[in-house]
Amino acid sequence: MARVISRALPLSLLLASSLLSGCRHAQHPEARTVGSVASSLFATLEDEGALASAFVLDARTGEPLYAHREHVRLLPASTMKVVSTASVLSALGADFRFQTPVTLEGTLTNGLYLGDLVVDPSGDPSLGSWRFPETALACEQVADALQARGVQQWRGQVRVRGTDDVEAAFGPGWAWDDAAYAYSAAPTPFVFRENVVDLALSRADGADCALPPTVQLTPAFATLSAIVRVDANAERASLSCTRQRGAPGVRCVWRSPVNQCPRSAAVRLSVDEPQILFSACVEEALLKRGIPRLPATLEAPGPLRPPVPEPLVTLVSPPLSELVKATNKESLNLYAERLGLRFARERSGTEGYATLSTALADELTRRGIPARDLRPVDGSGLSRYNLATARGLARVLFTSLREPYGDALVDSLPVAGVDGTLATRPVTPLTAGRIRAKTGTLSGQKCFAGVVDRPGDAEHPRVVFALMLGNMDESTALPANEAFDRFAAALVELPLRAP
């Protein structure tokens, strides 16, 4: 099935080549090429029952250079983020920034503010995130703006519009097992601190492993309900959590082997109501500035005028190029979903997974990529309903390189041996800095889609590739990451065709 794709030669040259081939092969061993290395790798995998699919094309012309089962459809996992981030970059541009306005709805008299702080959610996935200086201080920006207005005390609440009746909306095809964890945080219309809190468990030295541990949440104002039980007779140490069905919060089990008693463990968990986190954060920031919130039962000093909405501050995200870079390098599912849903709103006027799927399908049609090659359901790849071919994924990257945002998308891909999800992959002096790829992992699936630079190859100086591996398990003789390492190194180092 594997083949290196080459141009047709005149019959006379083919005849001459066949007459000389026997002599040439008798004198020299067969030269190693991308095709020969890839075919050997894939044969090893497929002999064990795995599936391998790959497609390579020239980054400038789109000329197919190598193909192996490129039409086979597999789960793309997080390589689906290439589709969603390329789409939103195409629609909004690399310089786009989310803007989240905060409005005063109340009355300020003699330093006392009576009324609410009202937020209009923009879908910014980075609001309150620790990843960016401009977003980490969102609560401080609100508190500073109130203080600048002369507020010394306030009575009211922080309200986020449109969240009163919103339930956590998970993508279709997401696994219930994942729902408690940060990587599966629901992409709610209002996001704060990436919709996660940190849960830390600890035991004092000498404490009985069978006794309940000390539980600490970060940030300290978080209110996640967590029930923790211990299992002191497990085979190995672990901390696992699941959402409670029909009740808020999570249930966690801290397991310890009989002959061990770990003193600490930590996990990052998702929350359903980020607006509660934001409200507590703003209140804490105001207290640090000496601006307390008065009890709601306190009577107002005199009659109040009807509140007139007045802009207080607008919280602005980093540029879209930076959000996409965080999304792809760190494989942030929440960011991918929010960016995908923002793309759906730009294209259709509404957000939702039905409109997202339609908008992405229309975008792929615009790029000349048939539905047979890509069936998008969500933006992150968490859904088990997504399907993709290596040819489809490679063509998303190729078509993106031809558009104004192409450099921003390539810059967002992890670099082998340097950063993101490829930081620990081995490189050589020749391959260092020349392999960029988005990775994707689900149970039994491993995918890569990226760009490789080929030094010294004037004809094909840069290629785009996709590699999809399915039916993998821990006992496979050739691990998926090692198969990628060898395949990507060959794309840098070896000729595409035999001389």
Side-chain angles (χ1 to χ4, degrees), residues 420-461:
T421 55
L422 291 181
T424 60
R425 303 317 308 157
V427 293
T428 67
L430 185 58
T431 62
R434 294 191 167 100
I435 300 169
R436 293 176 176 268
K438 180 72 199 77
T439 61
T441 306
L442 284 174
S443 299
Q445 311 285 318
K446 191 75 175 183
C447 304
F448 307 84
V451 176
V452 166
D453 293 316
R454 295 172 48 79
D457 187 342
E459 186 178 7
H460 304 294

Side-chain angles (χ1 to χ4, degrees), residues 1 11 15 18 81 87 98 104 133 178 190 221 231 273 287 309 317 326 329 384 394 400 409 422 429 468 471 476:
M1 291 294 295
L11 180 60
L15 291 173
S18 64
K81 293 180 176 68
S87 298
F98 289 89
L104 295 176
D178 299 336
F190 175 75
F221 50 74
D231 177 359
E273 298 180 309
L287 276 175
S317 78
K329 285 191 181 291
R384 275 66 173 174
S400 297
L409 184 64
L422 291 181
M468 306 184 74
N471 293 347
T476 306

Side-chain angles (χ1 to χ4, degrees), residues 257-466:
V258 176
N259 58 345
Q260 296 180 23
C261 187
R263 295 297 157 193
S264 63
V267 65
R268 182 162 285 170
L269 300 172
S270 64
V271 297
D272 288 342
E273 298 180 309
Q275 65 272 19
I276 296 177
L277 270 184
F278 180 67
S279 177
C281 180
V282 169
E283 187 170 346
E284 180 183 75
L286 287 169
L287 276 175
K288 289 180 179 178
R289 288 155 179 76
I291 304 174
R293 185 164 75 119
L294 302 177
T297 55
L298 187 70
E299 291 187 8
L304 296 178
R305 297 188 303 273
V308 177
E310 182 181 353
L312 176 66
V313 66
T314 298
L315 306 173
V316 182
S317 78
L320 184 58
S321 58
E322 291 300 311
L323 299 181
V324 166
K325 184 181 295 185
T327 302
N328 285 332
K329 285 191 181 291
E330 300 181 56
S331 205
L332 302 178
N333 295 320
L334 175 70
Y335 281 55
E337 297 299 344
R338 284 308 323 165
L339 295 181
L341 291 167
R342 181 62 181 83
F343 166 72
R345 174 148 58 99
E346 187 70 17
R347 288 288 188 252
S348 68
T350 59
E351 289 188 1
Y353 279 101
T355 54
L356 172 60
S357 180
T358 299
L360 289 176
D362 291 344
E363 174 68 10
L364 293 170
T365 298
R366 181 185 74 82
R367 296 165 181 257
I369 301 172
R372 174 67 179 76
D373 279 347
L374 261 171
R375 187 184 77 181
V377 173
D378 68 1
S380 67
L382 276 177
S383 175
R384 275 66 173 174
Y385 300 155
N386 294 304
L387 285 175
T389 66
R391 186 177 66 174
L393 288 173
R395 285 194 58 79
V396 170
L397 279 168
F398 167 70
T399 53
S400 297
L401 292 176
R402 302 163 68 87
E403 300 198 5
Y405 64 85
D407 289 343
L409 184 64
V410 171
D411 193 40
S412 76
L413 300 177
V415 182
V418 176
D419 61 15
T421 55
L422 291 181
T424 60
R425 303 317 308 157
V427 293
T428 67
L430 185 58
T431 62
R434 294 191 167 100
I435 300 169
R436 293 176 176 268
K438 180 72 199 77
T439 61
T441 306
L442 284 174
S443 299
Q445 311 285 318
K446 191 75 175 183
C447 304
F448 307 84
V451 176
V452 166
D453 293 316
R454 295 172 48 79
D457 187 342
E459 186 178 7
H460 304 294
R462 171 176 275 190
V463 296
V464 172
F465 76 93

Side-chain angles (χ1 to χ4, degrees), residues 69-110:
R69 302 187 191 280
E70 73 278 17
H71 303 296
V72 171
R73 293 195 289 182
L74 295 168
L75 295 179
S78 281
T79 55
M80 184 56 67
K81 293 180 176 68
V82 171
V83 181
S84 57
T85 55
S87 298
V88 73
L89 281 168
S90 176
L92 300 177
D95 297 328
F96 170 83
R97 294 174 186 261
F98 289 89
Q99 298 192 34
T100 305
V102 182
T103 303
L104 295 176
E105 291 190 3
T107 302
L108 176 60
T109 305
N110 298 325

Side-chain angles (χ1 to χ4, degrees), residues 89-147:
L89 281 168
S90 176
L92 300 177
D95 297 328
F96 170 83
R97 294 174 186 261
F98 289 89
Q99 298 192 34
T100 305
V102 182
T103 303
L104 295 176
E105 291 190 3
T107 302
L108 176 60
T109 305
N110 298 325
L112 173 62
Y113 175 65
L114 299 170
D116 295 340
L117 306 177
V118 182
V119 183
D120 287 295
S122 65
D124 178 6
S126 69
L127 185 65
S129 173
W130 55 91
R131 299 179 194 277
F132 308 100
E134 56 265 69
T135 63
L137 300 177
C139 301
E140 285 74 10
Q141 292 177 41
V142 174
D144 287 342
L146 268 180
Q147 191 174 47

